[in-house]
Amino acid sequence: MSQKYHVIVIGAGSTGTATAHDLALRGLQLTVIERGEIASGTTGRNHCLLHSGGRYAVTDHEGAVECIDENLTLRQIMRDGLELNDGLFVAVDESDLAFKDTFLEGCASCGIPARDIPVKRALEIEPYLNPKILGAVQVPDGVFDPYRFCLSFLATAKKNGATVLPYHEVVGLLMSGQAVSGVKVLDHRTGKQYEIGADLVVNATGPWAGKIAAFANVDVPVLPTAGVMVSISKRLNQMVVNRLNKPHDGDIVVPQRMTSIIGTTSWKVDDMDAIHIPQEHVDKMIEFGEKMIPALRDNPIRGVMAVARPLIGKKSADEREVSRTFAGFDHAHDGVENFVTISGGKTTTARGMAEKISDIVCAKLGVSAPCRTREVVLESYRSYYNN
Ligand SMILES: Cc1cc2nc3c(=O)[nH]c(=O)nc-3n(C[C@H](O)[C@H](O)[C@H](O)COP(=O)(O)OP(=O)(O)OC[C@H]3O[C@@H](n4cnc5c(N)ncnc54)[C@H](O)[C@@H]3O)c2cc1C
């Protein structure tokens, strides 16, 4: 067996990297194990919306409150990797317009600063918007760069002693009786397998969490739910543009570098590594997206992608109705010690998710250091390569 750590974190998406940062700050020795490159799972291929919570203000109060709380915190601690350009919710028909008051009330009840702005003003800010829009509300949405987002957390974790093992796939959990005592990894660069010991293992593998949990014969209620995004090869909006209604297909356009990304759809998948993209989902993105920004249809598609959300829910639930919040699982409740899972949520809420699971980890390991991730300013993503 190679080195023994206090903690092994499996997965270097937004959840695993934020968790590594939190635990390293509390003084724990840890390593992060990732089967591919950093952020190569769901985190690296999402819309990149730094949620204000507006999308969930009417349908998911808890999820919306988490979003605005973490959005405001990230603005303080992440020096680079965020584009703080705000968002607009636009009414393209009478039904959207009728939703406006409900939306404004929902935002107020969740603490999301939302401003009803004149249509003329919205069109001045975003000239490519449909000139026939009937209303617009401005919220503090933003955009993150997912790779830099994760590198910032890891750079800070490395500064505090953590190590990172990319291209290492966990292919089994080591067991001492009914307790997890480490992992078996396959190093994809050498083809060799070896074992790494730890006092506790954190499963932060997003939609793959059920596969890792199955190594210990425990079940986690993760419902992998895919979504298609269409990237347009011109940046047509500077702010995030959302449809002013309950969340549905094709209702958001996020500016990302020199592109605009239209999203998304939602359907359950069994294999997160082989998601087939239905052409009708791509067509739907263009059809719905152009209602908000007509020029989306006139510009070439740069790429189409699909990834799975790690939603928490019952297997029979309707995926649009499952809460977008997160859950931490201490598998001692399933009869397996020294093993926890954190899943669900969003990239926007990664820090809060990390705080919750790190509190559980520290309680189990008898560590009393409190969480400090709300205050500690993160290292630049650039310093990941220097530490
Ligand atoms: C279509 C879509 C759009 C979204 N848009 C947004 C958005 O705009 N804003 C937002 O905040 N959230 C968004 N989300 C949600 C967000 O992307 C996810 O909640 C978040 O990325 C989950 O991060 P994670 O770290 O838990 O999972 P992941 O990013 O999937 O990380 C898990 C990691 O575990 C690794 N792994 C898996 N198995 C193993 C193994 N055996 N050994 C080692 N490593 C392993 C994977 O390679 C992966 O890197 C979106 C989700 C979807 C599906």
Side-chain angles (χ1 to χ4, degrees):
M1 184 181 296
S2 98
Q3 205 171 340
K4 181 165 176 185
Y5 295 91
H6 295 134
V7 178
I8 287 171
V9 177
I10 314 175
S14 48
T15 311
T17 57
T19 303
H21 163 54
D22 191 320
L23 292 172
L25 208 51
R26 299 194 207 204
L28 291 167
Q29 282 171 14
L30 65 97
T31 192
V32 181
I33 300 178
E34 165 56 52
R35 69 178 186 171
E37 186 46 274
I38 311 304
S40 55
T42 303
T43 303
R45 284 169 290 166
N46 66 33
H47 299 110
C48 309
L49 166 67
L50 178 69
H51 284 270
S52 63
R55 282 176 73 71
Y56 308 114
V58 173
T59 55
D60 183 357
H61 181 89
E62 189 186 1
V65 170
E66 279 166 14
C67 283
I68 186 64
D69 184 26
E70 293 303 327
N71 174 314
L72 297 175
T73 303
L74 285 168
R75 285 166 189 258
Q76 301 301 319
I77 62 169
M78 196 168 273
R79 286 184 295 171
D80 43 20
L82 301 181
E83 203 184 323
L84 301 173
N85 36 7
D86 277 6
L88 287 178
F89 280 75
V90 296
V92 304
D93 62 21
E94 291 293 341
S95 137
D96 293 349
L97 193 59
F99 186 72
K100 189 165 77 174
D101 286 345
T102 311
F103 178 75
L104 288 166
E105 281 160 25
C107 286
S109 80
C110 298
I112 302 163
R115 269 192 316 133
D116 189 359
I117 64 166
V119 166
K120 186 168 173 282
R121 176 70 190 134
L123 292 169
E124 278 165 10
I125 310 171
E126 292 293 351
Y128 283 106
L129 271 182
N130 183 345
K132 294 184 181 150
I133 60 163
L134 303 172
V137 177
Q138 188 168 346
V139 295
D141 281 342
V143 179
F144 54 78
D145 179 308
Y147 190 55
R148 292 175 182 178
F149 187 100
C150 294
L151 289 185
S152 279
F153 281 119
L154 284 183
T156 322
K158 280 172 81 177
K159 186 180 155 213
N160 291 310
T163 58
V164 185
L165 291 176
Y167 306 113
H168 283 65
E169 180 162 357
V170 170
V171 292
L173 293 175
L174 308 180
M175 304 293 296
S176 288
Q178 279 304 100
V180 171
S181 57
V183 298
K184 183 191 269 193
V185 292
L186 166 64
D187 180 344
H188 282 294
R189 294 164 310 177
T190 61
K192 295 211 172 100
Q193 290 198 11
Y194 63 101
E195 297 178 347
I196 307 175
D199 297 329
L200 189 144
V201 172
V202 178
N203 175 15
T205 51
W208 291 271
K211 287 194 167 186
I212 297 293
F215 289 139
N217 286 323
V218 296
D219 191 32
V220 288
V222 170
L223 195 69
T225 308
V228 163
M229 286 151 291
V230 177
S231 169
I232 300 295
S233 57
K234 179 169 178 181
R235 181 168 168 138
L236 294 164
N237 46 323
Q238 303 312 315
M239 296 162 83
V240 179
V241 174
N242 305 263
R243 183 89 181 252
L244 181 56
N245 219 313
K246 288 186 183 168
H248 58 93
D249 292 348
D251 64 351
I252 184 165
V253 186
V254 183
Q256 174 60 251
R257 301 198 184 183
M258 298 315 291
T259 69
S260 289
I261 301 174
I262 321 170
T264 180
T265 50
S266 189
W267 81 101
K268 287 178 214 156
V269 287
D270 294 323
D271 186 353
M272 293 73 69
D273 290 308
I275 301 175
H276 167 72
I277 300 181
Q279 181 59 39
E280 62 267 27
H281 286 220
V282 178
D283 298 343
K284 212 193 260 186
M285 291 303 96
I286 303 292
E287 182 195 334
F288 291 169
E290 75 171 333
K291 291 185 180 174
M292 296 182 284
I293 302 178
L296 288 167
R297 185 175 285 284
D298 306 329
N299 284 278
I301 292 176
R302 183 185 168 99
V304 173
M305 55 199 170
V307 276
R309 295 173 191 83
L311 296 191
I312 304 292
K314 298 184 180 70
K315 300 275 180 217
S316 59
D318 173 351
E319 58 270 22
R320 280 271 188 225
E321 297 300 319
V322 177
S323 170
R324 302 294 165 114
T325 188
F326 61 87
F329 303 93
D330 178 353
H331 296 299
H333 300 298
D334 307 307
V336 176
E337 262 302 345
N338 305 338
F339 182 45
V340 299
T341 294
I342 175 78
S343 197
K346 300 168 200 65
T347 295
T348 304
T349 59
R351 191 217 59 86
M353 296 169 70
E355 177 174 350
K356 176 158 182 177
I357 201 66
S358 299
D359 283 347
I360 294 174
V361 168
C362 288
K364 291 180 76 67
L365 294 178
V367 173
S368 58
C371 176
R372 292 197 293 126
T373 57
R374 268 187 195 277
E375 303 87 54
V376 172
V377 175
L378 294 165
E379 294 289 301
S380 164
Y381 69 90
R382 291 187 178 87
S383 61
Y384 174 80
Y385 300 100
N386 303 334
N387 293 336

